[in-house]
Amino acid sequence: VAAVIAATFALLWLYRTRRYFALRVWLAVSLVSVLSIHLARVARAMLRLVAPCNFMLDAITFAVLIYNVCVTGACSILWCAPRVVNQLFLVLTAVIIASLFRDLPQHAIYILLLALSLWDLFAVLNKHGPLRQLLELAESRAQHTGKRRRRHRHSQERSLLNSARRFEST
């Protein structure tokens, strides 16, 4: 839980100081690491299930398949992709993260889920919560850029009208 709290404040600090490149790199590296490490573990377990069917796969091909799935997943989540592919990889990531909890004792899972839920409630609903601050900051930046775009569009419209008037007067 402490790691989640530290990551939340790091996320807020990166966004507040406008370090967007570092934020994108951090998200991409964490997503690819989650996909690659845990997807390889899940895929190895699935290969053990189909081993009696004489399904052979060498290590190089296995590594290339895992690499392709990870890169495709990262690109579909962080950049543009068809909605179905994006949702597929989001669900896959959620399943992989949930599979991490299966090795823990049941009481530890409940305690961890309760602690994470309480942190999430505090972070979003409290006036000084970091996720609430992040949302308010993002909304204010979006409104600010929206006003700038509208002003820019109106100035373009004005210059277009002025040039049309000049054309009519000649």
Side-chain angles (χ1 to χ4, degrees):
V1 177
V4 172
I5 294 171
T8 305
F9 280 108
L11 178 80
L12 177 65
W13 179 78
L14 285 172
Y15 191 77
R16 185 174 282 164
T17 57
R18 297 179 190 266
R19 300 178 196 273
Y20 300 123
F21 181 75
L23 190 60
R24 286 185 183 123
V25 168
W26 176 30
L27 291 174
V29 166
S30 61
L31 178 66
V32 168
S33 67
V34 163
L35 282 175
S36 63
I37 293 169
H38 301 294
L39 188 63
R41 186 176 62 114
V42 170
R44 264 190 254 122
M46 289 173 56
L47 285 175
R48 282 190 209 115
L49 290 175
V50 297
C53 301
N54 292 329
F55 183 75
M56 301 300 291
L57 186 66
D58 63 315
I60 295 172
T61 307
F62 182 74
V64 169
L65 286 173
I66 295 296
Y67 175 77
N68 283 335
V69 170
C70 293
V71 169
T72 304
C75 289
S76 70
I77 291 174
L78 298 175
W79 289 283
C80 60
R83 185 178 209 152
V84 173
V85 176
N86 189 320
Q87 289 175 346
L88 174 90
F89 278 104
L90 287 173
V91 169
L92 179 67
T93 305
V95 167
I96 289 170
I97 296 297
S99 73
L100 297 175
F101 293 119
R102 74 173 181 197
D103 298 333
L104 295 174
Q106 192 171 9
H107 68 278
I109 294 172
Y110 289 131
I111 291 171
L112 188 60
L113 287 176
L114 179 68
L116 287 173
S117 299
L118 291 174
W119 166 249
D120 194 39
L121 285 172
F122 168 78
V124 173
L125 298 178
N126 189 1
K127 180 180 178 183
H128 301 291
L131 292 178
R132 184 170 185 156
Q133 291 178 12
L134 183 69
L135 289 173
E136 290 172 354
L137 184 62
E139 287 174 357
S140 70
R141 287 185 184 172
Q143 289 174 356
H144 181 69
T145 58
K147 287 179 185 175
R148 193 179 308 153
R149 285 184 187 145
R150 264 187 257 123
R151 258 188 256 135
H152 181 67
R153 187 179 63 218
H154 290 307
S155 65
Q156 286 178 335
E157 290 172 359
R158 264 187 259 129
S159 65
L160 185 63
L161 284 173
N162 288 338
S163 61
R165 287 182 190 141
R166 273 184 258 134
F167 180 74
E168 288 175 0
S169 64
T170 56

